[in-house]
Amino acid sequence: MIYNIRKIFTILSLMILGGVLVYNCEPEPDSLGEQLFLDGAANGKEVPYDITAYNISNNDTIRADANTLYNLLGSTANTSATGVLGAFNESQFGMQKASYFTQLRLPANDPDFGTNAVVDSVVLVLKPIYRSDSITTTTDENYVYPDGNVDAKKVVNTYPAVKYGKAKKKMKIQVQEVIDFMNGYNDPVYSNTNFAVNSTVLGSKEFSGNVNAITITKDSDGSSLFSSAAGFRIPLSPTFFQSKIIAKKGQPELKDVSNFIRYFRGLKISVEESDGYLFQFYPNDMELIMYYKNDKDENGTNTRPQLKYSFSIGSANAHSGYYQYDRSAAAAGSVVPNTETGDLKLYAQGMGGNSIGIKLPVLTINELKKMYQDQKAAIISAKIRLYIDDAVWSNPYAKPSAFTILQGDKDTNGKTVFDYTTDYSVLGSASTFVPFRTYDTTEGYYYEFTVTQSLKDIVESGKDYKDKFYKIDLAQFISTSAGSLAGFKYTSRPFSMGRTVFVGTDPSNVKNAKLRVTYGTK
């Protein structure tokens, strides 16, 4: 069909790199071939072609350590990266459960807790991602602050955490002591690594799905008695920390970092349940606070003030995510990927779940090459179109809003290697380049992935394509602090909670996965 060039420019003006645009119309040609339409130079025609779409099994495992979860880039760390907690069970993908391991360190070696130090309380504070635009405020004008029985006012601002799954359920979060050495910060750890823990639970608390920000002020003068940013506070055993930390004052266990992380090896944070929802949190913002009192002589009076000791639990510690799966009763559990003829359904899932593979059949490539050679049919636009399979995946769960697409090939040793598609490498810095678009139509909900340049390389430049394929994941590429892409290996896959069933290679289905090519002839 012939496209309206004014409409093309209107759409192009809305594009942003890496963005997601939703349309209720047919796709437009991208800017790569836009010049072919100027002054009536060519007519554009869109034609669908067969592709081989299949599942890529990642064995439900992915590298999930400190370097991949939140500190991918060293000094240019990606502050938006996260850890995951929770559990979610449904019929297509089965049960997925996420726990979290972290080391902790002393803020300074060989601490002095004073004379007759006694732990009052200990709290682990998680900082889940929450919806800041949804707030409920409760005020207690008659609150009595327990330390000194001070008349006060307590204000609690409550926000719902961002959840994926059965959002209305409650889950109990528990904390246990790790008894395996977790190795060093830079050591790789995979998501099926379950470090051994002490069976005794150090503390637990029911998570209703909300986080609270608390402010307590004196009635007498309005001065602050306590304040905390939005988070979820889990009380831990004072007795454990009395014997594990306070009682070791001056002993080798607290003298240096090497001794300490082998003595107090870490904490495991998990949920008791096997169904509910998953939620993300910021590992670098976690807090572990010990409140204690010691003797203090003030004019002959022992006042025993309350003191606060904050452990270092964020950066510089070893962290890892532990992901468990049970697909025994799930549709995805019976899939055996077929790379030759494709799979009827594609089960894409983050955190080590399946990726999507796309191959271009020889017949498709040969037909496009023949058109280019015989009719001078230049490729203007090429998109891979994938429909959500609403026959099995029609639910209230959030649809994917981020994807990565890589190009796979074989190196000289026959090993599969990946890199950005040439669309990213050639056009990625252009303001008009959009790697994928989303369409919500009466036909269904579908995504189109831009592969224009990489297809042109094969069809028009004659590059070898025998071992080439595309790999699509429910994730996004990580950027450096300067805003540029960090590299194709750096993505949010280790903590991407989403999943979706797409229609694969299914000739009997009108939503069959297709390559849609717009070409123009003079």
Side-chain angles (χ1 to χ4, degrees):
M1 57 185 171
I2 301 175
Y3 290 88
N4 185 321
I5 195 67
R6 180 177 299 173
K7 186 175 183 182
I8 295 171
F9 283 126
T10 299
I11 292 174
L12 291 178
S13 68
L14 297 174
M15 293 181 182
I16 57 172
L17 176 61
V20 181
L21 303 182
V22 180
Y23 295 110
N24 288 293
C25 60
E26 286 301 302
E28 305 291 343
D30 58 39
S31 59
L32 190 67
E34 178 186 304
Q35 68 276 7
L36 294 175
F37 291 104
L38 299 178
D39 301 321
N43 292 334
K45 182 178 181 180
E46 184 182 79
V47 179
Y49 292 92
D50 290 334
I51 57 177
T52 303
Y54 55 94
N55 292 277
I56 297 177
S57 173
N58 296 304
N59 299 314
D60 287 338
T61 304
I62 191 169
R63 184 172 169 179
D65 50 58
N67 281 287
T68 52
L69 289 169
Y70 77 98
N71 197 21
L72 293 166
L73 311 174
S75 61
T76 56
N78 171 51
T79 56
S80 65
T82 61
V84 183
L85 282 174
F88 181 33
N89 196 350
E90 42 78 24
S91 61
Q92 293 300 308
F93 292 87
M95 192 278 294
Q96 180 183 32
K97 187 171 185 176
S99 305
Y100 200 79
F101 290 98
T102 177
Q103 284 178 337
L104 63 153
R105 303 184 184 213
L106 303 170
N109 294 328
D110 200 16
D112 184 357
F113 301 108
T115 305
N116 295 326
V118 176
V119 177
D120 284 338
S121 62
V122 182
V123 62
L124 175 68
V125 185
L126 297 180
K127 302 293 180 65
I129 297 175
Y130 61 91
R131 302 189 186 280
S132 59
D133 58 351
S134 180
I135 180 173
T136 302
T137 301
T138 57
T139 303
D140 184 353
E141 298 282 358
N142 300 312
Y143 183 75
V144 178
Y145 189 63
D147 188 17
N149 295 321
V150 180
D151 292 335
K153 178 173 75 171
K154 181 179 182 181
V155 179
V156 180
N157 290 326
T158 301
Y159 307 89
V162 177
K163 299 176 282 287
Y164 188 91
K166 302 175 178 70
K168 294 184 179 180
K169 287 202 171 188
K170 296 181 179 180
M171 293 188 293
K172 181 174 285 189
I173 300 177
Q174 62 183 16
V175 181
Q176 294 167 280
E177 179 191 12
V178 176
I179 57 178
D180 277 345
F181 179 55
M182 292 178 58
N183 298 317
Y185 171 84
N186 291 313
D187 292 320
V189 181
Y190 287 84
S191 60
N192 60 350
T193 302
N194 185 21
F195 295 106
V197 297
N198 192 317
S199 59
T200 301
V201 175
L202 297 182
S204 64
K205 186 177 179 180
E206 186 176 73
F207 183 56
S208 65
N210 299 314
V211 296
N212 297 321
I214 303 171
T215 302
I216 301 174
T217 55
K218 281 185 182 180
D219 283 347
S220 59
D221 58 9
S223 61
S224 176
L225 290 169
F226 177 83
S227 65
S228 68
F232 180 68
R233 301 170 68 86
I234 307 170
L236 305 184
S237 168
T239 303
F240 173 84
F241 281 85
Q242 181 73 34
S243 61
K244 193 79 175 181
I245 302 298
I246 298 293
K248 293 295 181 179
K249 173 186 170 183
Q251 297 186 27
E253 289 88 339
L254 310 188
K255 289 287 186 180
D256 59 47
V257 171
S258 179
N259 283 349
F260 184 75
I261 62 175
R262 286 166 173 78
Y263 164 64
F264 194 165
R265 296 178 176 179
L267 298 173
K268 179 182 180 180
I269 310 165
S270 61
V271 298
E272 288 188 357
E273 294 79 5
S274 295
D275 191 19
Y277 49 80
L278 303 171
F279 67 93
Q280 296 175 329
F281 67 100
Y282 295 117
N284 207 30
D285 291 342
M286 286 191 297
E287 297 178 87
L288 180 62
I289 306 169
M290 180 175 69
Y291 298 93
Y292 69 100
K293 292 178 180 176
N294 61 14
D295 289 344
K296 184 176 181 180
D297 186 8
E298 291 187 2
N299 300 321
T301 302
N302 186 3
T303 58
R304 291 191 65 79
Q306 187 178 72
L307 302 171
K308 176 181 175 180
Y309 188 84
S310 297
F311 293 87
S312 173
I313 198 171
S315 59
N317 290 289
H319 295 253
S320 62
Y322 171 50
Y323 307 148
Q324 298 165 268
Y325 294 88
D326 181 358
R327 303 201 191 276
S328 57
S334 61
V335 173
V336 178
N338 185 337
T339 61
E340 297 301 318
T341 59
D343 295 324
L344 299 180
K345 299 184 188 300
L346 307 174
Y347 295 88
Q349 185 178 23
M351 295 168 60
N354 283 355
S355 304
I356 295 173
I358 303 289
K359 285 185 178 180
L360 303 179
V362 173
L363 289 177
T364 294
I365 296 299
N366 287 344
E367 184 175 345
L368 288 167
K369 283 186 173 183
K370 182 173 176 56
M371 288 176 56
Y372 178 69
Q373 293 165 357
D374 295 349
Q375 303 175 37
K376 306 303 180 186
I379 294 172
I380 298 166
S381 173
K383 317 284 185 182
I384 294 170
R385 180 182 292 188
L386 298 178
Y387 278 89
I388 289 180
D389 192 340
D390 50 18
V392 297
W393 195 254
S394 180
N395 51 53
Y397 309 133
K399 291 181 172 61
S401 59
F403 292 89
T404 60
I405 179 168
L406 296 175
Q407 192 151 6
D409 205 344
K410 294 284 183 67
D411 64 13
T412 55
N413 297 317
K415 179 182 178 182
T416 299
V417 292
F418 292 97
D419 204 343
Y420 290 122
T421 64
T422 48
D423 298 85
Y424 267 99
S425 57
V426 173
L427 300 173
S429 60
S431 60
T432 56
F433 174 63
V434 177
F436 70 93
R437 295 186 180 95
T438 303
Y439 296 85
D440 189 1
T441 71
T442 55
E443 298 175 359
Y445 203 98
Y446 65 89
Y447 298 83
E448 288 193 333
F449 301 87
T450 300
V451 292
T452 307
Q453 184 61 48
S454 53
L455 185 63
K456 287 172 74 70
D457 287 345
I458 296 171
V459 174
E460 298 175 9
S461 301
K463 291 186 178 180
D464 178 63
Y465 67 94
K466 179 171 63 74
D467 296 315
K468 292 185 187 300
F469 67 98
Y470 299 103
K471 183 168 81 78
I472 298 173
D473 280 297
L474 274 62
Q476 63 184 18
F477 290 117
I478 300 296
S479 297
T480 67
S481 58
S484 60
L485 294 179
F488 74 90
K489 294 180 180 180
Y490 298 112
T491 77
S492 62
R493 277 186 61 210
F495 46 89
S496 175
M497 301 184 295
R499 78 284 305 277
T500 300
V501 183
F502 294 94
V503 179
T505 299
D506 184 358
S508 67
N509 193 326
V510 295
K511 298 177 181 179
N512 185 25
K514 289 286 186 179
L515 172 70
R516 303 188 72 89
V517 179
T518 302
Y519 62 88
T521 57
K522 292 286 188 179

